[in-house]
Amino acid sequence: MALAALITWLITAVGGFVMLGTWIAKGGPKKNSHLPPAVIFGHFALAAIGLVVWIIYVFTDNHAIAWTGFGLLLPVALLGFAMLFRWLPVYRARSAAGGPGTTGQQDLAEKHFPVSVVAGHGIFAVATVVLALLAALGL
């Protein structure tokens, strides 16, 4: 379970990096976003720290470290859901306008997120939380 959680966590991280890179490239940190930079970077930092902790757990098999890694996932997931709910109206507006290349009143950075990456990131994130919990429980 621990190794499966690590693999899904790494896949999730790749999707996160794609979205973070898109968000930065499209001007997100310059207040061109509905997603606050503190939330974006907090989500990233906690996920990265948790990933490092989980890698340590995989090599040491110390269950206290597993619970620490899992505990770090909880605020990461909450921040992720908060960002998802702020992104959904942007996605709906983009779909109604005809796609990411259309210009509207405001060209939000998150308007350019590939939907497949958002969906994949979310699916693998949920899988990671479940697998990490199972691994921490020793199953």
Side-chain angles (χ1 to χ4, degrees):
M1 277 309 149
L3 189 56
L6 177 60
I7 291 167
T8 59
W9 204 324
L10 290 169
I11 294 168
T12 304
V14 170
F17 279 125
V18 169
M19 289 186 289
L20 179 62
T22 300
W23 185 76
I24 290 171
K26 298 298 180 177
K30 299 174 185 164
K31 306 264 186 219
N32 191 24
S33 176
H34 284 174
L35 305 174
V39 174
I40 296 267
F41 291 116
H43 178 78
F44 168 75
L46 286 171
I49 292 166
L51 179 57
V52 169
V53 168
W54 197 260
I55 291 169
I56 293 169
Y57 163 62
V58 168
F59 285 103
T60 64
D61 198 31
N62 180 324
H63 286 283
I65 294 174
W67 283 109
T68 302
F70 176 74
L72 286 165
L73 277 178
L74 298 179
V76 171
L78 291 174
L79 290 171
F81 278 119
M83 289 186 289
L84 174 66
F85 290 122
R86 294 195 71 157
W87 174 78
L88 283 172
V90 174
Y91 166 71
R92 288 185 187 123
R94 177 181 93 173
S95 295
T102 60
T103 56
Q105 208 172 23
Q106 195 175 25
D107 190 27
L108 300 172
E110 60 271 19
K111 175 177 160 182
H112 302 277
F113 289 169
V115 176
S116 59
V117 174
V118 173
H121 181 74
I123 290 166
F124 279 99
V126 169
T128 300
V129 171
V130 170
L131 291 169
L133 176 60
L134 293 174
L137 289 170
L139 301 175

